[in-house]
Amino acid sequence: MNWKPIRQSEMTLQQQIVTWITEHIERGDWVAGTKLPTQRQLAMQFGVNRSTVQQALEELKATGILEAKVGSGIYVAHNSWHSLITQTQPNWQTYIDTSLHKPNYHTIQLINEYEQRDDVIRLGTGELAPSLLPTAEIEASLKELSLQPKALGYSSPQGSDRLREAICEYVKKRGIHANPQNVCIVSGALQALQLIAVGLLEQGSIVFQEQTSYLNSVHPFQSVGMQMMAIHRDAQLAQTLAEKKRKRQAVFYAVPTLNNPTGVVWTALEKKQLYEACKQSRIPIIEDDVYHELLFEAATPPIKSMDDSGQVLYIGSVSKTLSPGLRIGWLIGPTTVIERLADIKMQTDYGSSAISQEIVLHWLQSGKYEKHIVSLRQKLQQRADYVETILQEKFCDIADWYKPKGGFYIWLKFHEPIVDKELFIKLLQRQVLINPGYIYNPQDTQHIRLSYAYATYEELETGLKNLFEIVKKDT
Amino acid sequence: MNWKPIRQSEMTLQQQIVTWITEHIERGDWVAGTKLPTQRQLAMQFGVNRSTVQQALEELKATGILEAKVGSGIYVAHNSWHSLITQTQPNWQTYIDTSLHKPNYHTIQLINEYEQRDDVIRLGTGELAPSLLPTAEIEASLKELSLQPKALGYSSPQGSDRLREAICEYVKKRGIHANPQNVCIVSGALQALQLIAVGLLEQGSIVFQEQTSYLNSVHPFQSVGMQMMAIHRDAQLAQTLAEKKRKRQAVFYAVPTLNNPTGVVWTALEKKQLYEACKQSRIPIIEDDVYHELLFEAATPPIKSMDDSGQVLYIGSVSKTLSPGLRIGWLIGPTTVIERLADIKMQTDYGSSAISQEIVLHWLQSGKYEKHIVSLRQKLQQRADYVETILQEKFCDIADWYKPKGGFYIWLKFHEPIVDKELFIKLLQRQVLINPGYIYNPQDTQHIRLSYAYATYEELETGLKNLFEIVKKDT
């Protein structure tokens, strides 16, 4: 939306806006049922007063092109005047409504939208702050890259050979013994889950997970018809799994090291127990290990390191440590599975960015990656301590939390069940964005995922002050 | 597979190979039913004689771990000894066989596999030769990039704002008037099709296309349950579409400029006719325009430029012109549709590589892109002329073709129906890789897609000589 009305025009600003919106609708760019941006947003985009926008919208409502829905906003109308125009347009909204893939939850759409704005304090973001990204170093490393012409062509199905070799070397330190043919390069961990969903599971398969799970906030499995099932990891685990699985196909999704969003770290024994329980019922495990480098203390080996039967699909990534913008992760598993998923990746996007792969290779091989992580961990630890100090000062009487063991998050639990969409919206009105617990567990009304990784120190203080005030008012 | 037997070991090379393969199978890395690489490939990988490999495999077959299938190769056996081991392994092969997404056709898997080998002449490849890629210039442009920390974070749903603005500017020359909110950056054109398949169409929707179509060689729509329907574009087109569509949802997939694989270029009138016919039945059009920059003569405007009702989804890409390894394309359409597809992209891979986006932005803005294309077109024209000379000399009596108008391909039509999998395999045995017509139209046994874009001049000559010899022998 880079159009702005012209001040020197013979038409008034209001007229110009009316014409522009009308044309937009006639062209089929905004179809019937489209929600318009808020008046405030439009005013900003057009570079005019809010009252000018308001008058233009009133005029359009009067002619029936737009309609207001109380408490929800202004929409392109479904009226007869408009349907005259749209008789020749495809019914885009119907297409969207009946299509296969679920939309993101509204809260998550709002999060994705508001995360783009510079005037918002992001208290929940699962991403390193710009100041923690080694931007200058990545820029410098671009100058050191020497590209082979072949690297700029289409990739081999499993990704760059050299990068896969480097990843095998890298995961050795985690006790994982893999060969390059056990590795598929993916565009981030989420794509690995997507490939598993369509490439390994039949419709109606069960995905076991913990009650509170990252998978509830994205839905690679739900969107293709898998059934999610929350599981308590207790002494009866093996039996429970067998009973619930019955004759169906199943996988277990686990984030044993620095769980997203809870921050929980499993002991070696807990990992062993899950592995054995799944092995009994021959249930494959998806081990999501994208946060392990960010543990403040030494990490215990992943489940994959215990895997003597090709049962664990292991996911790693540089998105949480180096740069999400590179979109590089990896999936490690039996050759048979990896070749299958690589075949689907070829049908999906023909491979991941060659340049991104070269950058990650360079960072792994040069030792820059591990050096960067050492300093990153220290900075995250400082941020965690800072947020804890604020929490200690202000939140002791209304919430509980565990001291974070690493990563980005504190899983803040309020004593009262106050975390609902209303709270989310109220904070948004104060330009504070949180990740409410209910996006990870629909039944949860007590938690928020607090991230000390993204906002500045100042923003963290202001954001938490706002959170405290709003919560206090409510309780 | 970076393991090699050790020559100084106390074990013989054969013993070491037997042990290594057995361990591989016990670990579940090669599951029952896995096909082993050929003896030749194994010998190369292990750095031993083929006879050593053969003896090791014989030993493993004797113990029942491996089994040979006549004319097909050697597989990990499904026998009782092996099932003892695999009782605790997940049934990966069953998982794969029952999962949602179709595998690539076997011929395409072979193409993907053999395209990785340096000793193969690629006569059909849909990709620029390494020597045609501006590798040095891209490497140089990396040194000119200045990165913003925000660019290295997660992308906004539709992709980089600056890149989207640059693309709007770029497509203006094609007569397309779009705003950044009409644009979604994708990881290549194939991903755009994938997003449309799951984000806009209900199960059982119809995808109209031409008889011979790129979509038959990948299958973004087929894999999620859409019905493909071949259509002749004749005077009754509007009526045919209406009859076949009935009450179902439908889209029309078209490559009006330099069709893949046929190379056909539609006239402005043909484009207009398709647009009007689809408009009558309110059928959206997917216009795949990734080859237009490679027309040897001036291009006529795309269908999208006629679109006054938001009916055309337009796809562009730099994969055919600058570098497929960047994985950057774009999708242009009504805001409503673009926002929906961007939302799904966020659920799929959280956006395309930020660095790749920066590179494409730099190339578009600096004018490097258009300059590069001018010189690329000349080189492609020379290659086309060269291949035509060979065809004129050798193939006049056995095949027909049209002089290419641009792009990569000559759609070579043999007089006899000789293009089958046998021909494909025979040529592969001579290390010549072709793209047979049947991957684009299962009924086609007369065409091959000849590409003058990839192989070297010398390889083109040798490859065509081999093709000629094999065909001559058969007829």
Side-chain angles (χ1 to χ4, degrees), chain B residues 80-95:
Chain B
S80 58
W81 178 85
H82 184 253
S83 66
L84 272 177
I85 295 177
T86 55
Q87 255 178 17
T88 56
Q89 288 177 4
N91 265 328
W92 284 123
Q93 200 57 51
T94 314
Y95 274 80

Side-chain angles (χ1 to χ4, degrees), chain B residues 445-465:
Chain B
T445 53
Q446 286 189 267
H447 286 92
I448 69 172
R449 182 182 88 175
L450 204 57
S451 165
Y452 46 79
Y454 193 84
T456 63
Y457 279 69
E458 209 182 334
E459 286 173 338
L460 285 168
E461 192 181 342
T462 315
L464 286 168
K465 190 167 150 272

Side-chain angles (χ1 to χ4, degrees), chain A residues 214-354:
Chain A
Y214 166 65
L215 286 190
N216 292 330
S217 70
V218 286
H219 28 240
F221 296 103
Q222 295 93 318
S223 263
V224 288
M226 308 304 160
Q227 195 189 336
M228 309 307 288
M229 210 175 268
I231 287 286
H232 280 288
R233 289 178 296 112
D234 55 22
Q236 280 74 51
L237 180 58
Q239 203 185 324
T240 314
L241 288 176
E243 277 168 15
K244 302 219 168 189
K245 176 183 188 290
R246 281 177 289 162
K247 297 216 170 283
R248 286 172 294 181
Q249 281 185 9
V251 288
F252 199 113
Y253 173 78
V255 192
T257 303
L258 292 170
N259 184 283
N260 176 7
T262 64
V264 168
V265 178
W266 296 8
T267 62
L269 179 65
E270 285 175 308
K271 291 179 193 170
K272 188 80 186 159
Q273 281 166 344
L274 182 83
Y275 179 70
E276 294 299 337
C278 285
K279 196 167 174 178
Q280 277 186 36
S281 299
R282 302 174 73 178
I283 296 171
I285 297 166
I286 303 170
E287 182 176 28
D288 185 342
D289 200 31
V290 301
Y291 288 97
H292 79 84
E293 288 105 331
L294 304 179
L295 258 179
F296 296 151
E297 290 177 12
T300 56
I303 303 176
K304 183 67 186 166
S305 68
M306 310 168 181
D307 185 17
D308 56 12
S309 61
Q311 185 186 333
V312 181
L313 306 181
Y314 176 88
I315 299 174
S317 167
V318 300
S319 293
K320 301 304 175 188
T321 50
L322 180 58
S323 153
L326 293 173
R327 309 306 313 124
I328 296 294
W330 46 87
L331 178 60
I332 301 179
T335 311
T336 318
V337 174
I338 292 300
E339 282 175 359
R340 159 69 175 165
L341 299 182
D343 182 49
I344 297 174
K345 183 159 164 64
M346 286 304 267
Q347 296 179 58
T348 308
D349 63 7
Y350 280 128
S352 297
S353 162

Side-chain angles (χ1 to χ4, degrees), chain A residues 374-386:
Chain A
V374 171
S375 102
L376 175 63
R377 262 197 303 261
Q378 287 170 353
K379 288 177 196 157
L380 284 171
Q381 173 87 69
Q382 283 162 12
R383 286 172 156 261
D385 292 345
Y386 178 75

Side-chain angles (χ1 to χ4, degrees), chain B residues 216-429:
Chain B
N216 292 330
S217 69
V218 288
H219 27 239
F221 295 102
Q222 294 95 318
S223 264
V224 289
M226 307 306 159
Q227 194 189 335
M228 308 307 287
M229 209 175 268
I231 287 285
H232 281 286
R233 290 177 295 113
D234 54 21
Q236 280 75 50
L237 181 60
Q239 202 185 329
T240 314
L241 288 175
E243 277 167 17
K244 302 219 170 188
K245 175 183 188 291
R246 279 177 291 161
K247 295 218 170 284
R248 287 172 293 182
Q249 280 184 9
V251 290
F252 199 112
Y253 172 78
V255 192
T257 302
L258 291 170
N259 184 282
N260 176 8
T262 64
V264 167
V265 178
W266 295 7
T267 62
L269 180 65
E270 285 174 306
K271 291 179 193 171
K272 189 77 186 161
Q273 281 165 344
L274 183 83
Y275 178 70
E276 293 299 338
C278 286
K279 196 168 172 177
Q280 276 187 37
S281 300
R282 301 174 72 179
I283 296 171
I285 297 166
I286 302 169
E287 182 176 28
D288 185 341
D289 200 29
V290 301
Y291 289 97
H292 79 85
E293 288 105 329
L294 304 179
L295 258 179
F296 298 149
E297 289 177 13
T300 57
I303 303 176
K304 183 67 185 165
S305 69
M306 310 168 182
D307 185 16
D308 57 12
S309 61
Q311 182 187 336
V312 181
L313 306 180
Y314 176 89
I315 300 174
S317 165
V318 300
S319 294
K320 302 303 176 190
T321 49
L322 181 58
S323 153
L326 293 172
R327 310 303 315 123
I328 296 294
W330 47 89
L331 179 60
I332 300 179
T335 313
T336 318
V337 174
I338 292 301
E339 282 174 358
R340 159 69 175 165
L341 299 181
D343 182 50
I344 296 176
K345 183 158 164 66
M346 286 305 267
Q347 297 178 57
T348 307
D349 63 7
Y350 280 128
S352 297
S353 162
I355 306 274
S356 288
Q357 292 187 65
E358 289 290 326
I359 295 171
V360 174
L361 174 65
H362 179 79
W363 277 68
L364 284 174
Q365 280 186 334
S366 62
K368 284 181 189 165
Y369 186 62
E370 291 188 80
K371 220 169 115 187
H372 159 68
I373 285 169
V374 171
S375 103
L376 174 63
R377 261 197 303 259
Q378 288 170 351
K379 289 176 195 158
L380 284 172
Q381 173 87 69
Q382 283 162 10
R383 284 172 157 261
D385 291 345
Y386 179 75
V387 165
E388 268 230 85
T389 315
I390 302 178
L391 291 180
Q392 297 284 8
E393 271 173 30
K394 277 202 157 61
F395 286 75
C396 273
D397 299 336
I398 55 169
D400 293 314
W401 65 92
Y402 290 101
K403 199 176 168 62
K405 291 183 177 167
F408 297 172
Y409 313 122
I410 292 174
W411 187 232
L412 188 65
K413 182 182 186 181
F414 289 97
H415 297 157
E416 303 295 323
I418 51 158
V419 182
D420 51 15
K421 192 151 177 197
E422 203 187 322
L423 178 76
F424 175 79
I425 297 287
K426 270 190 196 159
L427 281 158
L428 213 49
Q429 283 159 350

